[in-house]
Amino acid sequence: MRTGIATVCLSGTLKEKMHACAIAGFDGIEIFEQDLVTSPLSPEDVRKMAADLGLTLDLYQPFRDFDSVPEELLAANLRRAEAKFRLMSRLGMDTILVCSNVATAVIDDDDLRAAQLFRLAELAGNHGVKVAYEALAWGKYVNDYEHAHAIVETVDHPNLGTCLDSFHILSRDWDTAPIEQFNPAKIFFVQVADAPKLSMDVLSWSRHYRVFPGEGQFELSKFMGHVVRAGYAGPVSLEVFNDVFRQSDVERTAVDAMRSLIWLEEQSAKWLDAADAPLTGSEEAGASRPAGRRRYPMELATLPQVAEPAGFNFAEVKAADTAGLEKVLGQLGFEFNGRHRTKDVQLWTMGHARVIINEQSSAARESAPDPAAQVTGPAIAAVGFDVDSPVIAAARARQLKAPAVPRKSQANEEIFQGFAAPDSTEIFLCQGSPDGTAAWTHEFGEGLEVPSGGTGAVIDHVNLAQPWQHFDEAVLFYTSALALEPQPYAEVPSPTGLVRSQVMLTADRAVRLVLNLAPVIQQDGADAGPGSGTGHRRTYQEHIAFAVDDLVATARAARDRGLDFLRIPANYYEDLDARFGLDPTFLATLQELNLLYDRDADGEFLHFYTATVGTVFFEMVERRGGYDGYGAPNAPVRHAVQYDHLHGPK
């Protein structure tokens, strides 16, 4: 699949954008007119730079408001078009995007539109230019891609074709199956964009909230499957208008964009495999399909296939001063299992829940990137996942542009495959074991690979804060690299604004990763990529949650060890009683131990929080029955109490 991206997707100057696209590995680019108009580079300079960078110049865009106009306005439009065709000749480009009219259209007549587009195609042909006509979702008279294609077919000119843009099609919920019936020679260009499902006018939705494939909720693999089945073999190019992307680091955004196309290519191949599979006995009698995916002019590459993680292997917290962490973990009931024989790290365990405390300073840390170099207090640095094949899973992540984070190992030490997530958290892939043991723990002492008895504790979920610039990037990253499934996001009130919370999980819920987009006021605003060492997301709190069999007993024991619980206000328990009508004795126990409670049709959820150490706090949970949530009604209480604890009078 030939990949492309419109320069409008990225921040910076045209020169910076072109260099970023080349670094990310794109085959070609669309030149957005404003980027060229505002550039000091001449068209000849741009043409040479593209050739030097190995980029093709695939599309000049946009040419607006051409059709459905009176004759006197058409003449002006043709003069304007000819000037652009001459410019394109200097650039060495042969395709221009012409949008359906949204502003100056005054005549609703398809015959007139066809006649006017024929004149445009004739003029374009004289300059060696092809015209790709696109139906904008808010076009005055042409807003349906099938309508636009029908006009193109009526014109029947070799220099006029159609541009299929996934946003304009899917935002209007148009059926994409008819694309398969299009003459592929008349599909001149394909643009893709994803988007969250929003209730707003489509123009504002398009201009501000498009995202890269895999970061929204559109059925892009189905759209692309129909495009491939139609026989299209040209570029698949990103056209994403997004306020955040155009404020973010250009190279990083370009890499995220390329990752999204790699993911889309794989997902489209899977859709075609399913669509081209033989019919089952339950399907219509007498019908048939070819066995396996057919061959199409566009070849779709796939990635190394991996299963979703089987569970958490460990969580790592980094701190220059580890005393506070050691105290809290001990009070929670974790056992200290010693220091690593060659590294400045500690191991603490409770059942199958493992926490590594990294004692190394930022300057001496043995692995890169350094996710918390600017943090003075503890911060979550890494998460380990159990996978079937760490080598294959790491190879997949590398193909998805994930930067590697090698871990130095000496003789008889586990070799971890690792890479950096968008928020700089290090992700390590560990060889899973059916009984939940971990062979690497013997590096801290013999016999530690077998969990101690007495508790079935496990890591229930890990909550990571995301910088505002890269929240969507993180969702795509964990979806594509770790096969986690994003759930519908929620917004949680806090004293400093709404916190957007996105749960990523495996089908069996063995891995639950919660990504939080904190209000900007709670972040330091630095924009740094993996390896930068700026600690750009560490001003907002994160936590690790552990599931236990008996939370009340765990809480009592922790209280007896002197644990500083997050203190829950009495008003909460009055409200809890009003909502659930709990047994008075049980309610009193909850209040006595600062426990929070939730219940739904499937079960119950009990949990409590520790005070924050650095930017990290811990949560202990107990799931009863089939409860599958995270105590969402309690989140505003937690945020408010933490805010008071951190900012109130001491």
Side-chain angles (χ1 to χ4, degrees):
M1 186 176 85
R2 286 175 55 200
T3 60
I5 184 172
T7 55
V8 74
C9 301
L10 305 170
S11 66
T13 65
L14 180 58
K15 180 179 180 180
E16 291 170 335
K17 295 180 184 194
M18 292 176 67
H19 277 276
C21 292
I23 291 169
F26 282 96
D27 297 316
I29 60 173
E30 304 174 39
I31 297 289
F32 193 71
E33 185 170 66
Q34 185 176 352
D35 286 325
L36 180 66
V37 170
T38 59
S39 175
L41 299 173
S42 70
E44 291 77 13
D45 291 337
V46 173
R47 181 175 184 170
K48 183 180 185 303
M49 181 182 296
D52 291 343
L53 293 172
L55 295 171
T56 56
L57 300 179
D58 297 329
L59 187 73
Y60 189 83
Q61 65 119 331
F63 192 82
R64 301 185 185 277
D65 300 328
F66 173 82
D67 62 272
S68 310
V69 298
E71 182 63 29
E72 63 273 15
L73 187 51
L74 176 65
N77 285 345
L78 288 170
R79 287 194 300 273
R80 181 164 55 98
E82 187 165 27
K84 297 305 176 185
F85 297 157
R86 290 194 295 267
L87 172 65
M88 291 173 62
S89 177
R90 296 171 64 192
L91 287 163
M93 303 181 74
D94 66 0
T95 306
I96 188 170
L97 177 70
V98 175
C99 306
S100 61
N101 203 323
V102 301
T104 59
V106 295
I107 306 170
D108 186 10
D109 184 335
D110 275 357
D111 289 338
L112 176 68
R113 274 186 282 275
Q116 293 179 345
L117 287 169
F118 180 86
R119 292 177 63 178
L120 180 65
E122 281 281 282
L123 181 62
N126 294 336
H127 292 270
V129 171
K130 297 185 298 181
V131 174
Y133 183 56
E134 174 186 63
L136 296 181
W138 53 92
K140 188 166 185 179
Y141 299 126
V142 180
N143 55 35
D144 180 343
Y145 79 97
E146 290 185 84
H147 185 185
H149 186 71
I151 295 171
V152 167
E153 292 285 1
T154 298
V155 173
D156 192 24
H157 193 288
N159 290 78
L160 181 69
T162 190
C163 174
L164 299 176
D165 183 314
S166 67
F167 182 87
H168 294 299
I169 296 171
L170 300 178
S171 64
R172 297 293 299 269
D173 291 323
W174 302 128
D175 181 12
T176 56
I179 293 173
E180 292 191 24
Q181 307 307 315
F182 286 12
N183 176 1
K186 286 297 182 182
I187 305 175
F188 281 4
F189 208 75
V190 170
Q191 296 174 319
V192 291
D194 209 338
K197 293 292 184 68
L198 301 173
S199 297
M200 64 189 309
D201 71 276
V202 70
L203 176 58
S204 298
W205 188 12
S206 173
R207 286 288 176 260
H208 303 284
Y209 297 102
R210 296 194 195 193
V211 290
F212 296 131
E215 298 176 358
Q217 296 170 283
F218 285 167
E219 289 188 89
L220 288 180
S221 59
K222 180 180 179 182
F223 166 81
M224 277 303 305
H226 291 312
V227 168
V228 172
R229 288 178 119 182
Y232 177 75
V236 177
S237 185
L238 296 163
E239 188 193 40
V240 174
F241 299 88
N242 185 289
D243 298 342
V244 173
F245 294 170
R246 285 185 278 186
Q247 298 178 62
S248 302
D249 177 78
V250 61
E251 291 187 11
R252 178 168 181 158
T253 304
V255 168
D256 180 34
M258 189 64 209
R259 179 183 297 127
S260 77
L261 282 185
I262 295 170
W263 175 87
L264 177 60
E265 187 172 7
E266 178 189 49
Q267 296 305 304
S268 302
K270 289 181 178 180
W271 186 91
L272 285 168
D273 284 341
D276 290 346
L279 292 169
T280 65
S282 62
E283 296 181 277
E284 185 176 352
S288 64
R289 294 180 187 156
R293 193 195 331 155
R294 291 176 286 181
R295 295 187 66 85
Y296 298 101
M298 180 186 294
E299 295 186 5
L300 299 176
T302 57
L303 299 167
Q305 298 301 294
V306 297
E308 61 187 15
F312 288 103
N313 189 284
F314 68 87
E316 178 183 330
V317 181
K318 180 189 173 187
D321 182 355
T322 65
L325 278 177
E326 295 173 26
K327 179 180 179 182
V328 171
L329 288 174
Q331 290 168 335
L332 285 173
F334 277 77
E335 296 181 11
F336 171 63
N337 297 127
R339 288 177 170 78
H340 194 275
R341 61 193 182 201
T342 63
K343 300 176 176 67
D344 293 331
V345 297
Q346 306 174 22
L347 174 63
W348 292 72
T349 63
M350 177 189 287
H352 290 92
R354 306 179 191 92
V355 176
I356 293 174
I357 298 180
N358 190 326
E359 300 174 302
Q360 294 174 320
S361 67
S362 59
R365 191 169 184 195
E366 41 108 18
S367 60
D370 177 15
Q374 298 294 321
V375 177
T376 57
I380 296 175
V383 181
F385 295 96
D386 287 328
V387 297
D388 287 341
S389 174
V391 173
I392 294 176
R396 177 183 175 88
R398 285 194 296 272
Q399 290 188 39
L400 287 161
K401 307 292 183 178
V405 284
R407 173 182 181 266
K408 292 180 181 178
S409 300
Q410 298 189 16
N412 300 319
E413 292 183 358
E414 191 83 4
I415 299 176
F416 285 146
Q417 302 289 330
F419 51 88
D423 64 1
S424 292
T425 300
E426 294 180 356
I427 303 299
F428 288 108
L429 305 172
C430 310
Q431 186 66 60
S433 173
D435 60 3
T437 59
W440 57 266
T441 57
H442 78 271
E443 298 168 20
F444 292 82
E446 294 301 325
L448 293 180
E449 63 272 17
V450 180
S452 58
T455 177
V458 296
I459 295 177
D460 184 84
H461 61 275
V462 176
N463 184 308
L464 298 173
Q466 304 299 306
W468 65 270
Q469 305 97 320
H470 307 300
F471 186 87
D472 293 317
E473 178 187 359
V475 173
L476 170 63
F477 179 85
Y478 287 111
T479 300
S480 59
L482 282 177
L484 301 183
E485 186 68 25
Q487 306 302 297
Y489 71 83
E491 292 182 333
V492 179
S494 81
T496 54
L498 289 177
V499 176
R500 179 178 172 184
S501 184
Q502 175 77 68
V503 174
M504 313 285 295
L505 45 73
T506 55
D508 62 1
R509 276 47 175 178
V511 169
R512 304 167 187 260
L513 197 64
V514 184
L515 309 179
N516 277 355
L517 174 59
V520 175
I521 192 173
Q522 296 187 24
Q523 303 183 34
D524 62 9
D527 183 14
S532 64
T534 61
H536 60 281
R537 65 176 177 85
R538 299 302 174 173
T539 57
Y540 181 66
Q541 299 170 66
E542 303 175 309
H543 75 272
I544 305 166
F546 308 100
V548 296
D549 298 327
D550 187 339
L551 189 75
V552 171
T554 299
R556 289 193 189 282
R559 182 189 60 183
D560 293 344
R561 298 186 194 100
L563 179 69
D564 184 12
F565 290 79
L566 200 63
R567 305 301 174 88
I568 308 303
N571 293 336
Y572 166 79
Y573 295 101
E574 291 186 16
D575 179 69
L576 200 63
D577 187 36
R579 287 191 290 131
F580 293 116
L582 299 175
D583 175 85
T585 302
F586 180 57
L587 182 65
T589 299
L590 296 178
Q591 186 166 5
E592 171 198 355
L593 297 171
N594 287 284
L595 306 186
L596 297 104
Y597 176 86
D598 190 31
R599 183 172 73 202
D600 61 18
D602 299 314
E604 299 173 290
F605 187 66
L606 283 73
H607 56 141
F608 72 80
Y609 300 97
T610 70
T612 303
V613 183
T615 62
V616 179
F617 61 96
F618 300 103
E619 179 184 9
M620 306 297 288
V621 311
E622 179 188 345
R623 297 179 181 275
R624 297 179 176 179
Y627 187 95
D628 194 40
Y630 304 85
N634 300 328
V637 178
R638 190 257 293 177
H639 283 292
V641 175
Q642 285 179 325
Y643 183 86
D644 284 343
H645 182 79
L646 292 172
H647 301 283
K650 303 300 182 183

